[in-house]
């Protein structure tokens, strides 16, 4: 049985979706806002997510981006927004498909089947939402790092770098890719930025910053034990 997480604040639509999905043997879970969507995606590991863009607490596009940091779960957008700009933003953020409200239930179900079929034929292993090492723990959903159980405060830039290292298949990231992602394409040569920030990250997270075990400059986040089978995965379209 497939489990579908419905992220939608319109309770009548949630109800209609629940009835139709359950009639086709889907297990249905509900999230009424973005915060619940992130928590439930991590804890329930659904087979697909139906995502409204207009949520009470945050833009659905931001929720999609946050899920895509660590998960390739199929995401189907349900939106009343007709502008192609909104579709482009959602698809660029990592949504798999898009239906405009009001939609026919048959079309939605067909698109849902297609999205989950593509997923099953993929090779992906998910990066779990929590990555643990002997020295520190990274919670990708809460965007927090703990060292000996204590929350370590990172700047947004430090977090962005750490996140890139953790979610990259094989944990190897080139300096140029990191610089492009974090500072933008104009800064791919500024390796001194990375040197500074990696030193800060090591001071905050490594037991012996001079001899880093995990955050090895310039290339990798080392042997993070994520409980997965290592590289593979990330079949980007
Ligand atoms: Ca809404």
């Amino acid at each position: 049985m497939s489990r579908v997480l419905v992220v939608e604040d319109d309770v009548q639509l949630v109800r209609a979706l629940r009835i139709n999905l359950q009639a086709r043997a889907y297990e249905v879970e509900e999230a009424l806002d973005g915060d619940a969507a992130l928590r439930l995606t991590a804890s329930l590991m659904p087979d697909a997510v139906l995502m409204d863009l207009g949520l009470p607490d945050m833009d659905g596009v931001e929720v999609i981006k946050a899920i895509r940091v660590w998960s390739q779960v199929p995401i189907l957008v349900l939106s009343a927004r007709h502008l192609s700009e909104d579709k482009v933003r959602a698809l660029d953020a990592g949504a798999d498909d898009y239906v405009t409200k009001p939609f026919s239930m048959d079309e939605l179900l067909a698109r849902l089947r297609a999205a989950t079929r593509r997923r099953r034929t993929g090779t992906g292993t998910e990066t779990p939402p929590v990555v643990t090492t002997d020295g520190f723990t990274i919670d990708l959903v809460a965007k927090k790092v703990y060292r000996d159980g204590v929350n370590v405060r990172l700047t947004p830039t430090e977090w962005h770098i750490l996140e890139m290292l953790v979610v990259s298949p094989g944990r190897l990231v080139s300096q140029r890719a990191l610089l492009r992602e974090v500072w933008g394409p104009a800064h791919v040569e500024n390796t001194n930025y990375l040197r500074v920030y990696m030193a800060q990250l090591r001071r905050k997270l490594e037991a012996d910053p001079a001899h880093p075990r995990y955050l090895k400059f310039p290339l990798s986040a080392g042997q993070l034990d994520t409980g997965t089978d290592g590289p593979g995965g990330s079949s980007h379209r």
Side-chain angles (χ1 to χ4, degrees):
M1 189 193 319
S2 291
R3 176 185 286 166
V4 178
L5 177 63
V6 176
V7 184
E8 170 63 72
D9 60 328
D10 175 344
V11 290
Q12 294 209 21
L13 181 54
V14 171
R15 190 162 166 271
L17 286 167
R18 173 181 282 285
I19 290 166
N20 278 280
L21 288 165
Q22 285 178 337
R24 287 154 183 92
Y26 287 97
E27 189 184 321
V28 180
E29 304 288 347
E30 301 167 10
L32 296 177
D33 58 37
D35 183 57
L38 291 174
R39 276 188 293 104
L40 292 176
T41 303
S43 61
L44 301 172
M45 293 288 200
D47 299 294
V49 176
L50 299 182
M51 176 79 65
D52 177 31
L53 291 186
L55 296 169
D57 58 340
M58 59 177 108
D59 187 337
V61 171
E62 297 307 315
V63 180
I64 295 169
K65 283 185 190 163
I67 290 174
R68 276 294 173 260
V69 167
W70 61 272
S71 172
Q72 291 300 314
V73 62
I75 300 175
L76 209 69
V77 168
L78 315 173
S79 180
R81 303 178 189 175
H82 292 266
L83 294 176
S84 87
E85 187 187 315
D86 289 315
K87 296 184 188 178
V88 170
R89 280 180 65 232
L91 294 170
D92 277 350
D96 294 85
D97 205 350
Y98 196 110
V99 281
T100 305
K101 297 176 190 170
F103 48 81
S104 98
M105 201 54 80
D106 284 342
E107 180 186 349
L108 173 77
L109 291 164
R111 288 178 184 273
L112 179 61
R113 283 193 298 274
T116 49
R117 207 159 47 225
R118 280 197 295 275
R119 162 72 181 291
R120 269 198 302 278
T121 56
T123 55
T125 49
E126 297 284 85
T127 300
V130 176
V131 175
T132 307
T133 74
D134 286 346
F136 50 91
T137 301
I138 304 165
D139 185 331
L140 289 165
V141 174
K143 293 186 181 283
K144 289 197 163 120
V145 188
Y146 298 91
R147 189 170 160 185
D148 301 324
V150 179
N151 184 14
V152 180
R153 295 178 67 103
L154 298 187
T155 66
T157 302
E158 289 167 349
W159 173 260
H160 201 164
I161 292 170
L162 186 64
E163 195 175 56
M164 276 280 287
L165 293 173
V166 170
V167 302
S168 301
R171 321 282 170 224
L172 279 174
V173 187
S174 76
Q175 295 187 49
R176 291 178 70 88
L178 261 177
L179 286 161
R180 189 183 310 113
E181 167 68 24
V182 178
W183 283 278
H187 297 282
V188 293
E189 306 294 341
N190 295 346
T191 51
N192 57 315
Y193 290 8
L194 270 186
R195 216 171 283 279
V196 169
Y197 276 92
M198 286 298 280
Q200 286 172 199
L201 273 174
R202 283 199 303 251
R203 267 199 304 279
K204 290 184 177 182
L205 300 179
E206 293 276 1
D208 180 359
H211 303 93
R213 201 172 146 196
Y214 301 104
L215 303 166
K216 294 183 181 166
F217 189 70
L219 282 178
S220 84
Q223 305 299 309
L224 295 180
D225 175 16
T226 62
T228 65
D229 299 321
S234 84
S235 52
H236 292 291
R237 284 166 305 278

